[in-house]
Amino acid sequence: MFSRSILRNLKRASLSAGATLALVAGLVTGTAGTSQAAGTLPCDIYASGGTPCVAAHSTTRALYGSYSGSLYQVRRSSDNTTRDIGVLSAGGVANAATQDAFCAGTTCLITVIYDQSGRNNRLTQAPPGGFSGPAAGGYDNLAVATAAPIMVGGQKAYGVFVAPGTGYRNNATSGVARGDQPEGMYAIFDGTHYNGGCCFDYGNAETNSRDNGNGTMEAIYFGNIKVWGYGSGNGPWIMADLENGLFSGVNQRYNANDPTVTHRFLTAVVKGEPNHWAIRGGNAQSGGLSTFYNGVRPNVAGYNPMKKEGAIILGIGGDNSIGAAGTFYEGVMTSGYPSDATENAVQANINAAGYATTSGGGSGTLTPGSTISLRATTACCTDRYIRHQNDNAITSVITSSSSSTDKGDASWTVRQGLASSSCVSFESRNYPGDYLRHSNYQLHRQANDGSTLFAADATFCPQGGMNGQGTSFASYNFPTRFLRHYANTVYIASNGGSNTFDATGSWADDVSWVVGPAWS
């Protein structure tokens, strides 16, 4: 015998399926990698499914077909002026050229992520709460606007790169679920940028930035922390942060059906209603959504009924826990519990949007004069950066709590290539005049002696990341060799050869680097 709640869910799914099948049919005419015209976008699809968006955040594109307003705001450090960044056309991709022109020669931070739903549920710099952030007054840091360059529909765009200590929040929202009210949410993350810190979240949280007890949150979590719950493999996992617990399923700890997911662009879904919730996920570039959990609330006291408070967070925990890392591109929250059919149509639209990595280094963070850090993309080592130590180039774990010396050693000033203006050289931030240079295939920090050989050894040419992530750097004078970390030492390595560091295993991952904001 069916319960009333099951019948209700089946009815909802069947009613929305007919509408969303028509929406999907309209979406498949677009192909990934091509610019999408204004039309039916995620929040239009949710509205057709009877679960309208009450918050819609993105720094990459419009989430309504008719939206022509601002996506986000940046502030440049040179004069502290701000600029709103809009879309190229109604329903289109972000106008990254506006940001690039405004931020040229200086650093820009993302100060506001606007809400496209019309409810003014915008995200701004998170205030202190149970934990204080590293910025003035205990606020969290703002994201560097150029730290996560990508392509959407063939157009340049930027995501929100969250380093530990970065966070956004709105504690006075409109229309967001409270108590045990139903809601849904999705976000697109960089599935290769994560850590085991608490907590990289997007979703519903406490309105006073403090831990108010079990069930006072309902947010998407992404990372590989195992203190509370976890899934199969070594992570990262999509889980739900319900306060005082990251849940992968009904049990407090382990759900074998919640898999490790590392898609470069990851769609993550969490939704909940009275004594029922689900986790779903998939590749934002292709394919559908899989369901990792669908069932009753956790079998731990305090989560049924839920006591959601209706704030919105990004990059932090509900009590302003600030230890997490990740990258956010777009996300929404809905009123009501969306059907799987509605979410499947949203996923089809996301596929058609054409998320992709940038080709080569681009003109963003590799612009001469900018300061950067280079982060590994290999699954084992996404918290490791190229740094110099005792004049040798190695990779080390660098975090917000690292010493100023370590942060400086892992920071580089981009210079026009000493041997070729179409390539780049990396000058030490802590030792101006010293450059990253290879000798006998190993990388060192050495003073520029002005020789032709030094110039060639210290010049590297950016290409698209060999594993589809970030950027790979070919040696100017050994073009088949790329900057590679091997046993935590940095070499120029070929894909196969007589040296141990030329090993083919994980070569593509080891030679691909995320060009991010400098630690110092």
Side-chain angles (χ1 to χ4, degrees), residues 90-171:
V93 176
N95 189 343
T98 298
Q99 175 182 308
D100 289 341
F102 180 72
C103 301
T106 188
T107 300
C108 275
L109 301 176
I110 298 174
T111 48
V112 181
I113 305 171
Y114 291 108
D115 171 26
Q116 301 178 33
S117 77
R119 291 181 172 270
N120 199 30
N121 290 325
R122 62 179 63 181
L123 296 173
T124 57
Q125 188 173 17
F131 293 85
S132 292
Y139 278 70
D140 296 350
N141 288 334
L142 296 167
V144 176
T146 56
I150 57 165
M151 306 294 285
V152 180
Q155 302 289 333
K156 185 179 181 182
Y158 293 98
V160 183
F161 185 94
V162 174
T166 303
Y168 293 82
R169 195 178 195 114
N170 186 328
N171 281 341

Side-chain angles (χ1 to χ4, degrees), residues 14 89 124 280 314 324 342 374 383 407 423 454 508:
S14 64
S89 60
T124 57
R280 307 186 77 201
L314 172 61
T342 296
L374 296 171
D383 56 355
K407 290 178 179 178
C423 300
F454 184 97

Side-chain angles (χ1 to χ4, degrees), residues 1-288:
M1 180 175 181
F2 289 106
S3 70
R4 290 183 179 179
S5 63
I6 292 174
L7 287 171
R8 183 178 70 251
N9 292 331
L10 289 172
K11 183 178 180 182
R12 181 191 299 117
S14 64
L15 285 173
S16 61
T20 53
L21 282 174
L23 292 172
V24 173
L27 290 169
V28 295
T29 57
T31 57
T34 61
S35 182
Q36 300 297 303
T40 303
L41 296 182
C43 285
D44 304 308
I45 297 170
Y46 278 114
S48 295
T51 53
C53 294
V54 293
H57 304 109
S58 176
T59 59
T60 62
R61 65 172 184 145
L63 299 176
Y64 292 84
S66 61
Y67 189 77
S68 59
S70 297
L71 300 179
Y72 62 104
Q73 181 188 88
V74 296
R75 184 182 69 219
R76 62 188 179 196
S77 59
S78 58
D79 58 7
N80 284 325
T81 59
T82 61
R83 177 67 54 85
D84 286 345
I85 308 301
V87 291
L88 291 170
S89 60
V93 176
N95 189 343
T98 298
Q99 175 182 308
D100 289 341
F102 180 72
C103 301
T106 188
T107 300
C108 275
L109 301 176
I110 298 174
T111 48
V112 181
I113 305 171
Y114 291 108
D115 171 26
Q116 301 178 33
S117 77
R119 291 181 172 270
N120 199 30
N121 290 325
R122 62 179 63 181
L123 296 173
T124 57
Q125 188 173 17
F131 293 85
S132 292
Y139 278 70
D140 296 350
N141 288 334
L142 296 167
V144 176
T146 56
I150 57 165
M151 306 294 285
V152 180
Q155 302 289 333
K156 185 179 181 182
Y158 293 98
V160 183
F161 185 94
V162 174
T166 303
Y168 293 82
R169 195 178 195 114
N170 186 328
N171 281 341
T173 63
S174 168
V176 179
R178 287 168 170 78
D180 212 22
Q181 292 177 335
E183 68 177 346
M185 61 195 79
Y186 85 84
I188 298 178
F189 300 137
D190 178 347
T192 69
H193 183 204
Y194 59 91
N195 71 359
C198 182
C199 292
F200 184 72
D201 290 349
Y202 172 73
N204 196 322
E206 297 93 337
T207 55
N208 63 355
S209 303
R210 297 185 181 277
D211 179 349
N212 292 334
N214 295 4
T216 54
M217 290 181 62
E218 186 168 62
I220 305 168
Y221 165 82
F222 183 67
N224 66 344
I225 194 170
K226 296 182 71 173
V227 173
W228 295 281
Y230 56 95
S232 62
N234 295 320
W237 308 281
I238 303 168
M239 295 191 284
D241 190 342
L242 306 180
E243 191 53 275
N244 295 323
L246 299 175
F247 289 91
S248 59
V250 68
N251 297 316
Q252 189 169 25
R253 300 291 292 174
Y254 177 59
N255 173 17
N257 294 320
D258 193 13
T260 292
V261 283
T262 58
H263 303 300
R264 175 58 179 84
F265 296 98
L266 169 70
T267 305
V269 175
V270 167
K271 54 184 175 178
E273 61 182 348
N275 202 25
H276 181 215
W277 68 290
I279 303 173
R280 307 186 77 201
N283 186 341
Q285 292 180 293
S286 64

Side-chain angles (χ1 to χ4, degrees), residues 457-480:
D457 289 348
T459 300
F460 306 92
C461 302
Q463 301 179 14
M466 292 293 176
N467 67 353
Q469 304 172 42
T471 305
S472 294
F473 297 92
S475 166
Y476 174 77
N477 49 356
F478 293 90
T480 62

Side-chain angles (χ1 to χ4, degrees), residues 316-485:
I316 51 177
D319 58 0
N320 199 45
S321 304
I322 54 170
T327 300
F328 171 90
Y329 301 108
E330 66 178 65
V332 312
M333 300 175 67
T334 71
S335 173
Y337 188 91
S339 69
D340 285 0
T342 296
E343 291 165 347
N344 293 343
V346 170
Q347 172 71 354
N349 173 267
I350 292 169
N351 288 173
Y355 273 90
T357 56
T358 57
S359 58
S363 60
T365 53
L366 286 175
T367 302
S370 62
T371 54
I372 63 153
S373 291
L374 296 171
R375 179 175 64 82
T377 63
T378 312
C380 66
C381 310
T382 56
D383 56 355
R384 303 187 74 91
Y385 293 76
I386 294 180
R387 58 87 56 87
H388 56 82
Q389 188 176 72
N390 298 325
D391 299 340
N392 293 321
I394 63 171
T395 61
S396 289
V397 174
I398 305 293
T399 70
S400 57
S401 60
S402 297
S403 70
S404 58
T405 297
D406 288 344
K407 290 178 179 178
D409 288 348
S411 299
W412 307 89
T413 301
V414 179
R415 300 300 184 194
Q416 180 176 287
L418 297 179
S420 170
S421 61
S422 64
C423 300
V424 296
S425 295
F426 300 107
E427 184 179 14
S428 168
R429 182 76 161 161
N430 276 350
Y431 293 86
D434 285 14
Y435 285 78
L436 196 62
R437 181 257 181 107
H438 67 80
S439 177
N440 293 324
Y441 302 133
Q442 185 174 340
L443 273 292
H444 307 273
R445 172 185 61 81
Q446 292 186 0
N448 184 2
D449 63 10
S451 69
T452 301
L453 178 61
F454 184 97
D457 289 348
T459 300
F460 306 92
C461 302
Q463 301 179 14
M466 292 293 176
N467 67 353
Q469 304 172 42
T471 305
S472 294
F473 297 92
S475 166
Y476 174 77
N477 49 356
F478 293 90
T480 62
R481 291 184 171 274
F482 290 78
L483 286 184
R484 181 193 191 172
H485 66 94

